[in-house]
Amino acid sequence: MTIVITGNPGVGKHTIAKEISQKKHLVVIDINEIAKNENLFEKNDETNDVDTEKLKEILRPKISTKSIIVGHLAPYVLDKNQIDNVIVLRRNPYDLLDVYTDRGYSEEKSRENAGSEILGVTAFDAINQFEEKVVEINVSDKKIPVVEKIEKVISGKKDSEQIDWLELVTKNDDLKKFFVD
Ligand SMILES: Nc1ncnc2c1ncn2[C@@H]1O[C@H](COP(=O)(O)OP(=O)(O)OP(=O)(O)O)[C@@H](O)[C@H]1O
Ligand SMILES: [Mg+2]
């Protein structure tokens, strides 16, 4: 079983991956940590550009059938045939703003990341790369624990959820809150 947990910054990837890894006895492969250790990030202002081709090659031999691979870069550094399931965590953009405030992100960085979640950038890129192996999960809905949902995905018993933050934000008349500079 080779699982990928991806999604925009702050959706809860690492928190969830840790729980799943313990429950399913999987080894966590942290894409960002590997990229950092290999000095693949180019620092410029607040954005981190990474050499995805190099990262892809470094990751390849580390992936096994007992891996849970975590990171928002997953769609750009993994191939469809390397993995079984890709879970894209989706989180309410209003909750994300709180996470970013706690992390001390600037207003610009917060908006950029929350905006990216509203538009579903990571989900779009994941589907582009991994196609039918992708399942989106809403982690904002507290009724069903995320780990439970992921276990269902792994056993093939759960389809992707329909998530449309753009509709929610538009209905709340909050487009300016997220998209005006
Ligand atoms: N299911 C959840 N419900 C509520 N809060 C959560 C949940 N999962 C994670 N959190 C909280 O959300 C914040 C972000 O979680 P986490 O650091 O795991 O996100 P991440 O996706 O790994 O972020 P990054 O992309 O920056 O690595 C943390 O404060 C964490 O405690
Ligand atoms: Mg994290």
Side-chain angles (χ1 to χ4, degrees):
M1 182 176 13
T2 312
I3 301 166
V4 178
I5 307 278
T6 190
N8 288 300
V11 291
K13 297 181 292 294
H14 285 91
T15 310
I16 297 303
K18 202 173 161 202
E19 279 186 57
I20 303 281
S21 72
Q22 285 164 356
K23 225 169 164 186
K24 295 275 175 196
H25 308 289
L26 300 173
V27 176
V28 175
I29 298 180
D30 183 331
I31 298 173
N32 276 33
E33 194 181 294
I34 291 168
K36 256 180 227 157
N37 291 343
E38 300 281 342
N39 281 318
L40 296 180
F41 278 117
E42 287 169 28
K43 279 255 175 218
N44 45 17
D45 301 324
E46 284 200 311
T47 58
N48 280 321
D49 283 333
V50 69
D51 185 336
T52 50
E53 282 310 310
K54 249 192 207 158
L55 186 50
K56 200 170 184 169
E57 291 317 309
I58 290 166
L59 279 172
R60 197 181 298 278
K62 295 185 193 287
I63 298 166
S64 79
T65 52
K66 287 197 168 298
S67 302
I68 182 158
I69 310 164
V70 189
H72 70 283
L73 294 171
Y76 322 108
V77 296
L78 297 169
D79 288 329
K80 188 182 174 186
N81 63 13
Q82 291 178 288
I83 50 93
D84 296 310
N85 300 100
V86 179
I87 291 137
V88 182
L89 304 183
R90 304 294 310 272
R91 192 163 182 185
N92 186 306
Y94 297 93
D95 294 351
L96 280 181
L97 287 182
D98 293 338
V99 173
Y100 300 151
T101 303
D102 286 349
R103 288 181 175 184
Y105 283 13
S106 68
E107 200 166 309
E108 193 191 351
K109 189 172 174 180
S110 294
R111 278 187 176 187
E112 198 184 304
N113 282 292
S116 169
E117 174 59 17
I118 292 167
L119 299 176
V121 172
T122 304
F124 181 86
D125 289 347
I127 292 165
N128 215 15
Q129 180 74 351
F130 306 116
E131 300 172 312
E132 78 284 355
K133 290 186 175 179
V134 175
V135 171
E136 291 177 64
I137 282 181
N138 183 356
V139 300
S140 323
D141 173 5
K142 298 287 183 303
K143 276 173 281 179
I144 307 164
V146 179
V147 172
E148 225 170 86
K149 287 187 182 180
I150 292 178
E151 284 184 306
K152 279 195 178 156
V153 171
I154 293 168
S155 54
K157 290 189 201 132
K158 181 165 172 48
D159 292 331
S160 202
E161 292 179 38
Q162 290 293 328
I163 295 141
D164 192 348
W165 302 134
L166 193 54
E167 193 189 330
L168 172 74
V169 170
T170 308
K171 219 188 295 172
N172 292 347
D173 201 16
D174 275 336
L175 281 172
K176 280 191 181 139
K177 185 182 173 83
F178 293 97
F179 294 108
V180 164
D181 55 54

